[in-house]
Amino acid sequence: MEKTAEALYRDRKQFFNDRAGEWLELCYRDPQSGRFDLHAAAFDRLFSLVPLRPGERVLDAGCGSGVLVPMILERIGPEGILCELDFAERMIEENRRLHREPNIRFLVADVARAPLEPESFDTVFCFSCFPHFDRKPEVIGALARALRPGGTLVISHFNSAEEINRHHESFPAVSHDHLPGPEAMKGMVAAAGLRVDAFIDEDGFYCLLARK
Ligand SMILES: C[S@@+](CC[C@H](N)C(=O)[O-])C[C@H]1O[C@@H](n2cnc3c(N)ncnc32)[C@H](O)[C@@H]1O
């Protein structure tokens, strides 16, 4: 029998809560060197496309246990504000345990319904999480409202769309989670009043940058 949307949502949340403690180890640790720099070159590329400045306000939606935190804080400095948002409580617990800087705000919320102040962020990241969001046009609309005019939405993965969709198929709890094709993505972004500045979809790197 087909699962309901509510059951799929619950299973997905459970899937991420269950992996919160080992997420960084699973995804970012180089098994050879033991260092957490498996994707260092791709992160350099991502941040070269998204040049954050000191004092900026950044939202990290679907943040997990906070792989982006050190890289964002290094760029926005102590005057900037970083909001770490995730619907999985244990991801936020782990993130909070690992990152103690006073300019981080932690928020357990669904990305589509989060209490985000309008026009309050310079940059919004959806890093390695967009396929998991239900009601994608609604999510992009909510994130666009939270951006200040001129602010940037970043949707990125270190896989192509095809790779990420194939990858999810092997995990039942997220096998329905799909990254839409380029025209659908660009259409959703345009419908939310954003202009696409860059769209890259190649082996090992996906990045859509859109400006308000
Ligand atoms: C693949 S993990 C990536 C986490 C982190 N961005 C990283 O790269 O390590 C996807 C994250 O999105 C979160 N997520 C999925 N659906 C969500 C939703 N509707 N609202 C908020 N967070 C969500 C999950 O809990 C999970 O932490």
Side-chain angles (χ1 to χ4, degrees):
M1 198 172 65
E2 281 284 296
K3 283 195 175 174
T4 62
E6 289 74 22
L8 291 172
Y9 184 89
R10 209 176 41 238
D11 288 356
R12 181 188 301 127
K13 190 167 170 178
Q14 186 71 47
F15 175 87
F16 288 114
N17 268 323
D18 288 348
R19 285 158 182 76
E22 55 184 358
W23 190 257
L24 295 179
E25 179 93 13
L26 281 174
C27 302
Y28 300 105
R29 186 166 174 271
D30 182 333
Q32 241 106 65
S33 70
R35 288 196 298 268
F36 286 80
D37 61 359
L38 192 56
H39 297 291
F43 280 122
D44 285 348
R45 183 175 181 192
L46 176 62
F47 283 99
S48 75
L49 293 167
V50 188
L52 302 177
R53 280 176 290 271
E56 286 195 348
R57 300 175 66 97
V58 175
L59 172 65
D60 181 10
C63 61
S65 48
V67 67
L68 294 184
V69 169
M71 292 174 267
I72 294 173
L73 289 184
E74 185 189 327
R75 290 164 172 84
I76 64 173
E79 306 302 318
I81 297 284
L82 170 59
C83 179
E84 290 285 293
L85 179 157
D86 204 286
F87 78 161
E89 303 83 359
R90 285 195 224 142
M91 282 290 192
I92 291 292
E93 263 170 42
E94 182 67 4
N95 195 333
R96 198 191 284 276
R97 190 181 70 75
L98 294 170
H99 307 109
R100 305 288 179 134
E101 289 81 352
N103 55 337
I104 310 179
R105 313 281 177 262
F106 294 98
L107 192 53
V108 176
D110 182 281
V111 65
R113 293 185 284 258
L116 302 172
E117 208 181 304
E119 305 196 349
S120 58
F121 293 102
D122 299 289
T123 303
V124 172
F125 283 95
C126 293
F127 176 68
S128 208
C129 54
F130 192 77
H132 304 300
F133 297 157
D134 290 333
R135 304 186 305 278
K136 291 178 173 60
E138 200 186 312
V139 170
I140 293 189
L143 297 178
R145 277 190 296 283
L147 275 176
R148 68 156 173 82
T152 304
L153 172 68
V154 185
I155 298 176
S156 181
H157 285 95
F158 295 160
N159 296 105
S160 67
E162 195 192 328
E163 286 165 343
I164 195 74
N165 287 334
R166 211 175 329 112
H167 174 68
H168 287 154
E169 279 167 18
S170 41
F171 300 93
V174 294
S175 62
H176 296 76
D177 298 359
H178 199 79
L179 189 61
E183 294 320 314
M185 289 298 291
K186 290 177 192 172
M188 281 191 273
V189 162
L194 306 180
R195 189 193 69 218
V196 176
D197 269 3
F199 182 83
I200 301 166
D201 183 5
E202 56 190 44
D203 287 356
F205 197 84
Y206 179 98
C207 186
L208 186 160
L209 292 186
R211 202 168 301 273
K212 183 162 173 181

